[in-house]
Amino acid sequence: FLEKPMALNSQECQDIIVATEKNHVALMIGHSQRYFPTNIKVHELLQTNYFGKPLVIRSSQMGAGLELKSLAENHWALDERLGGSGTTLGYGIHNIDKVLWWINEDPDFICGTFRKDFKRDKEFGSFINFTTQSGIDVSTMFQGDFNGQLFDYQRDCAELICERGHIECQSYRQVRICPVNGEWSTIL
């Protein structure tokens, strides 16, 4: 896997590509969320079309791993050249990739807001909303802390409201489903 950032400029990216091709080495991005059993299960459910097309997806990620305020000043995630500017580019991008992988569509319209710690000039939370080309409404929220209070757990959950039911995924715990007018059941 190639972790972000791939490189600091496009020439370095090209150099990596050339080196992997020359040495017959696979080059792939480490989209970690795609390998969680719960996220794989949601992907499989959507592929079967049992619940129909997703209409609305709400995804949130907060907690452990996102506490950028606790990182040393020289940590890579706080270096804009290496980690972007904080929570969203450093960690939230994995959550967005997961949702796009689930639905196999690109965004058509994107908007968002960010929460910034002006003392350290870093972003610690965001809301990003987008609509896909087929009209799926997606809202994502990333939160590293609340007013300086760090979490001792990680919460990563998504709710998918589909034409014929609901899917709830807690990436680190379980997947629950509920057909229209049915009962919730845990399937993983």
Side-chain angles (χ1 to χ4, degrees):
F1 289 116
L2 178 63
E3 183 56 84
K4 63 186 172 312
M6 179 176 180
L8 298 180
N9 58 56
S10 60
Q11 183 57 54
E12 289 179 1
C13 291
Q14 287 301 318
D15 293 346
I16 291 170
I17 293 167
V18 168
T20 58
E21 289 172 349
K22 178 181 175 183
N23 292 290
H24 308 288
V25 174
L27 174 64
M28 58 189 291
I29 304 300
H31 294 295
S32 60
Q33 291 273 331
R34 294 185 185 195
Y35 299 98
F36 291 12
T38 49
N39 294 335
I40 292 169
K41 178 56 91 177
V42 171
H43 185 260
E44 291 169 351
L45 283 169
L46 292 173
Q47 297 300 305
T48 68
N49 203 33
Y50 178 79
F51 289 98
K53 175 187 169 192
L55 304 172
V56 176
I57 300 174
R58 302 285 179 252
S59 181
S60 64
Q61 184 176 16
M62 61 185 87
L66 301 177
E67 305 91 353
L68 297 182
K69 284 186 177 182
S70 68
L71 298 177
E73 287 293 328
N74 63 349
H75 191 279
W76 70 266
L78 295 175
D79 184 333
E80 284 195 26
R81 296 175 315 118
L82 302 176
S85 62
T87 303
T88 304
L89 289 177
Y91 299 96
I93 197 68
H94 292 286
N95 201 294
I96 292 171
D97 173 72
K98 170 187 69 181
V99 171
L100 294 174
W101 173 62
W102 281 346
I103 60 178
N104 195 30
E105 284 193 45
D106 291 327
D108 191 40
F109 174 79
I110 302 172
C111 65
T113 60
F114 296 86
R115 182 174 148 244
K116 188 169 186 171
D117 178 339
F118 289 100
K119 290 179 184 174
R120 289 179 73 183
D121 194 30
K122 299 297 170 203
E123 171 263 312
F124 292 99
S126 66
F127 293 95
I128 298 177
N129 302 301
F130 59 90
T131 304
T132 67
Q133 296 164 346
S134 71
I136 301 171
D137 179 43
V138 179
S139 293
T140 61
M141 187 271 294
F142 312 107
Q143 187 71 46
D145 60 64
F146 287 107
N147 298 322
Q149 300 300 310
L150 302 179
F151 296 104
D152 62 355
Y153 67 95
Q154 179 148 351
R155 180 154 173 89
D156 181 343
C157 59
E159 179 184 13
L160 297 84
I161 301 169
C162 303
E163 294 170 320
R164 295 186 295 276
H166 294 76
I167 302 169
E168 179 186 89
C169 178
Q170 294 181 22
S171 292
Y172 301 100
R173 294 183 55 207
Q174 66 183 6
V175 176
R176 297 183 339 133
I177 59 172
C178 181
V180 172
N181 300 323
E183 298 285 325
W184 281 99
S185 61
T186 301
I187 61 170
L188 181 65

